[in-house]
Amino acid sequence: MKLLRWFIIYRLIVGFVVLALGGVLQVFEGFWPAFPLYLLGVIFILMHYTIGPMRLVQLSIEEDDPDAAIAHLNKIKYPKLLFKPIRQSYYMLQSNLAFAGKDLDKAEEHLRKSLNTKSSLLKEQEGVQYLQLGMIAMQKGDSKAARENLKLALQKGLPDDDNKAAAYLQLASLEIQRRQNKIGKDYFRKI
C-alpha cells in the first residue's frame, strides 16, 4: 500500500523520468526499443491529470483522516481534465467540505458543477445532489428553490429510506410554512 501511495504522489515525476530514460535508450539503441518507455511515461503523465490523487483521497476518508483527504484534493490543479465520474466525485467532495465549513455559496457552486458533468456512471447520486441543494436553499431561506430541489431529489431517486424521509420532512415543513396544511400532511404520511 505504501508503494501505491508513493507512486500516486510521484506519478508525474516518474512519468517524466521514464520519458527521459526512453530518450537515453533511443540514443543508444534506436526508437523501437525506447518506444515502450515512451508509452509508459505518457500513460503515467496522463494518469496524473485524468485520475489525479483521488485514490489517496478515498484511502484517507476510509482511514478517517479528513485533513489528508483535503490535502490530496487541494493537489488537483486542473479538475476539468479529470475523467467525468472522477470529476463528479471531486466536485461532490469539494461541496461537502464547503458545506461543513458553512460556505453555502461555494457548496452550491460545487454541487452545480458536479451535476453539470452528467456522468452516466454516477447517475444514482443525482438525487442526493438535489437533496443537498434543497438543504442548502433551505439554510439560505430560499423556500421556492428548496421545494424544487427536494422534489427533484425524490423524482431522481434517493439511495435509502433515511434520505427519502429527510426530503419528505423538509417538504412537509415547507408546505406547512406556506399554509398548505393538506399537502404538508400528505408528506408527513409518506415519512
Side-chain angles (χ1 to χ4, degrees), residues 1-96:
M1 192 58 75
K2 287 185 180 186
L3 183 62
L4 175 66
R5 286 179 192 265
W6 181 89
F7 174 72
I8 292 171
I9 291 170
Y10 297 108
R11 180 171 37 209
L12 183 63
I13 296 168
V14 170
F16 284 118
V17 168
V18 170
L19 281 177
L21 289 174
V24 171
L25 187 61
Q26 181 177 349
V27 168
F28 291 109
E29 297 292 326
F31 175 76
W32 288 111
F35 178 74
L37 289 177
Y38 286 144
L39 183 64
L40 199 58
V42 168
I43 289 172
F44 289 165
I45 292 168
L46 287 175
M47 284 174 63
H48 174 78
Y49 289 108
T50 58
I51 298 172
M54 291 303 283
R55 177 70 175 134
L56 295 179
V57 172
Q58 178 186 5
L59 288 173
S60 298
I61 290 172
E62 288 173 1
E63 294 168 355
D64 199 27
D65 189 1
D67 295 332
I70 292 168
H72 293 305
L73 272 177
N74 290 336
K75 289 179 184 175
I76 298 175
K77 301 297 181 209
Y78 306 104
K80 290 185 178 181
L81 295 178
L82 296 171
F83 287 125
K84 277 186 174 183
I86 295 170
R87 187 178 338 138
Q88 186 173 16
S89 298
Y90 168 80
Y91 285 129
M92 276 290 290
L93 286 169
Q94 289 287 46
S95 172
N96 290 340

Side-chain angles (χ1 to χ4, degrees), residues 165-182:
Y168 283 127
L169 182 63
Q170 297 304 326
L171 281 169
S173 172
L174 288 168
E175 294 302 334
I176 289 172
Q177 286 175 3
R178 282 182 32 189
R179 306 274 189 236
Q180 300 293 327
N181 293 334
K182 185 175 188 273

